[in-house]
Each structure stands twice: as C-alpha cells, then as structure tokens.
Amino acid sequence: DRAEALVAALRQRGVDVVAVHPRADGTYGEDEFTVHPGRREGYDALVARLMEGAGLPSRIVFAWPLAGTDLDLGFYGLLWLTQALAAARTDTAVRLDVLTAGTVDVLGGDLTDPVNATVAGVIRVAPLEITGLTATQIDLDPAGVGSDDVIAQLGRPITAPLVALRRGRRWVTEHEPAAARVAESMLREQGRYLITGGLGGIGITLAEELAAR
C-alpha cells in the first residue's frame, strides 16, 4: 500500500526508518513494531520502548489513515499517539506529519474520505498542549501521489496545518483577518440573540455592541 511504498522509498534513500504496523499482536523488534490500533495502552508501550532504545525520534510520520476509513487507524490512533507522547514528558522536539488521502475537496470531486478529516482537530490542538511538538496534515490525491512527491513534502518546513497534493501541485491553507461587520438590517427591534462563549472578552464585547444598537 502507500505507506509500505513510502517506507521502502525512504529506506532506499538511506533513511533510518522504524516502521509501526497496526496489528493486534503487539510485537517489538529492532526496526519493526506492531501496535493494536484500538487499545490506548499499546501506544504508551511503543513510546516507552522507543525511549528505552535509541530514544524518541524527532520525526514521526503517521500514515495509518492511508489504510482506509477506520477511526482507530485515523482519529483515535492519532489521539492516543499524541496522548502517549504527552505522558512521556520528553524534552525531544518532535515533528509529526499525518498522511491522509481525499479528506478535503480542493479541485471538486476529490473529497473521498471525509471520515479521516477528523484528524485535523488533533493536529491543531496537540501542539498547543505538548511542548516541542509541531504537526501538519498532508492530504494526498486520492487518484495517487508518488512516494518521491510525498518525501519532497516531508522535507519542507511546516508552514500550515494542512497541505494538499493534487495533480502535481501543492495547495496550502492560509488565513487572513477579516473585519467583523454587523449590518443594521440584521438586527431586529426587541430581537433575541444567543452568544456562545459569552464568558470571554469577545462575547461580552459583542453583547455590549448589540445592546447599544
């Protein structure tokens, strides 16, 4: 599959790769591990084994979502991995690249795996809670992307939480500030409005503005 092809391509380039496969037996070797994808304790054991050996790697490529639509291979697997990293309390700076395929609609018709789009939440939150962790999602073209193109992307610095590779092109998410405008026609006399998150400064400021209008 795509993940195995990527591992083979990295090793051909002389990269020292420790491969972790989703299987129920939970075996450990020198450069091959298996972890039960549906059990949190397996991820803790994996991180502990790595730290006992050569140490926690500074680069982790989480490619299990490429195996198919399965929350244990996608969202839950990534969540439990990041929780295991947080519990390890290591000072190692870790870069985490999460590979998916077809989780965003870039060109129209290429959204084929919306279930694994759930990894986006972990990717955005985990770096805020784990010191030294940076993360990004690399969404591959469901029609196929060569290992060389994936490796080239892995060699780039992280500049956005989501990068999409489509038909030989690289698409990157960007954000820019937008002025919030409340049109007079949107407000009704004696109208009732629900403001969520009202305990923060933004909610109170918005409430005061609506009351004044």
Side-chain angles (χ1 to χ4, degrees):
D1 61 11
R2 290 184 175 187
E4 295 293 344
L6 178 60
V7 170
L10 287 169
R11 285 175 171 167
Q12 287 177 357
R13 293 176 178 230
V15 179
D16 184 16
V17 178
V18 176
V20 182
H21 308 280
R23 286 202 297 270
D25 49 0
T27 59
Y28 301 91
E30 183 177 349
D31 58 1
E32 299 282 343
F33 297 84
T34 64
V35 172
H36 193 304
R39 296 180 179 175
R40 159 65 198 276
E41 59 269 18
Y43 301 85
D44 292 316
L46 170 65
V47 171
R49 287 292 186 109
L50 291 172
M51 295 182 67
E52 290 173 0
L56 193 66
S58 59
R59 292 293 303 274
I60 298 176
V61 179
F62 187 78
W64 285 5
L66 298 179
T69 301
D70 186 332
L71 287 175
D72 284 345
L73 298 178
F75 173 78
Y76 288 118
L78 181 60
L79 175 64
W80 290 329
L81 173 62
T82 54
Q83 288 177 341
L85 294 174
R89 299 184 181 277
T90 176
D91 294 331
T92 303
V94 178
R95 168 173 168 172
L96 173 63
D97 294 272
V98 181
L99 303 186
T100 57
T103 65
V104 291
D105 191 3
V106 179
L107 303 177
D110 50 338
L111 176 59
T112 60
D113 185 16
V115 172
N116 277 323
T118 52
V119 301
V122 181
I123 291 168
R124 286 165 172 75
V125 173
L128 302 177
E129 300 182 350
I130 304 175
T131 302
L133 178 70
T134 55
T136 190
Q137 177 186 357
I138 303 173
D139 192 65
L140 309 185
D141 192 332
V145 174
S147 295
D148 290 342
D149 292 332
V150 179
I151 292 173
Q153 175 58 41
L154 293 175
R156 291 175 175 267
I158 291 179
T159 57
L162 172 63
V163 175
L165 303 182
R166 296 290 190 275
R167 302 179 187 177
R169 294 182 179 273
R170 176 175 177 268
W171 302 76
V172 181
T173 55
E174 293 184 350
H175 299 88
E176 60 183 25
R181 297 183 178 89
V182 179
E184 295 294 342
S185 59
M186 295 174 58
L187 304 180
R188 294 181 299 174
E189 185 70 22
Q190 300 299 318
R192 294 183 175 88
Y193 302 93
L194 172 65
I195 302 174
T196 61
L199 296 179
I202 295 178
I204 292 176
T205 299
L206 179 57
E208 291 175 344
E209 175 68 13
L210 290 175
R213 286 171 180 261

